Amino acid sequence: MPELNAPPTRVAGHNEAALAEWGRGLATDIHRGRWRPAMGNSDTHLAGQIAIPHTVVLAEELSAYAILAGIRAGRSWIAGSFAVELSCTASAGGRSAGIGERLKAGDAPVVVRVDVRGVPSGTVGIHTEQGRAHSASLPESGTGAVEWRTGTADSAFVRIEVRRPDGHMAALGNPIILA
């Protein structure tokens, strides 16, 4: 846990270490059939810093039951601010899946599509169990789409990281499981 008054670069280092630890175990956990979704939140009492970061839950409806089900399933992503929007789908053989879902792709090629808003001149990284497999830059407007092709023989999952030009995380998506 970061120190209460730690400098921001030190806190960022702790966050990156936690991300690396989660990423190392993710492939093993997915192959075992159970993985821990990433969650983000803030503990601040300063104006302008509330909900930076926060977790966006993709729920079927606005109810406590549906939100908790979305969290348990990993149907969520972490946003660095309210300005950031993220959508990610993987498609194969006429089927598609979103963040926290399972795509039964078989041997069909998988197309991963990432749509981002609110990260001017940022970078979209598509990660698999081998690490970052693809990266693309966003325009100055901060709105863009990235597509990348893979297959189930290459990885058991894909997940997204969107970073600002200074390298800080703007969004982190839970994986889409490829089966």
Side-chain angles (χ1 to χ4, degrees):
M1 175 175 230
E3 293 177 24
L4 183 61
N5 293 316
T9 54
R10 190 162 174 206
V11 172
H14 288 294
N15 290 342
E16 291 297 327
L19 175 61
E21 179 66 25
W22 175 72
R24 277 190 291 277
L26 190 56
T28 301
D29 292 346
I30 286 172
H31 286 291
R32 290 180 179 160
R34 187 167 173 98
W35 55 277
R36 295 170 301 187
M39 300 288 293
N41 61 51
S42 62
D43 180 19
T44 187
H45 305 278
L46 305 173
Q49 292 184 345
I50 303 295
I52 301 173
H54 63 277
T55 298
V56 177
V57 179
L58 306 169
E60 295 296 321
E61 63 182 45
L62 190 55
S63 70
Y65 176 81
I67 292 168
L68 290 172
I71 290 169
R72 278 191 290 279
R75 299 257 315 121
S76 58
W77 58 276
I78 301 168
S81 78
F82 284 111
V84 177
E85 295 179 29
L86 174 68
S87 171
C88 181
T89 57
S91 303
R95 295 175 295 280
S96 65
I99 294 171
E101 294 180 331
R102 177 177 296 272
L103 175 64
K104 293 184 180 181
D107 293 332
V110 177
V111 177
V112 179
R113 180 180 171 97
V114 182
D115 291 285
V116 179
R117 291 180 192 244
V119 189
S121 302
T123 302
V124 174
I126 300 174
H127 293 249
T128 68
E129 56 193 287
Q130 285 81 33
R132 184 163 51 176
H134 182 73
S135 129
S137 297
L138 293 169
E140 279 187 37
S141 69
T143 299
V146 174
E147 284 194 2
W148 179 68
R149 295 184 186 326
T150 190
T152 55
D154 298 323
S155 184
F157 69 88
V158 293
R159 68 174 184 83
I160 306 306
E161 289 183 12
V162 181
R163 293 188 178 264
R164 301 189 186 288
D166 64 5
H168 287 96
M169 190 74 69
L172 171 68
N174 276 305
I176 297 173
I177 312 302
L178 306 178

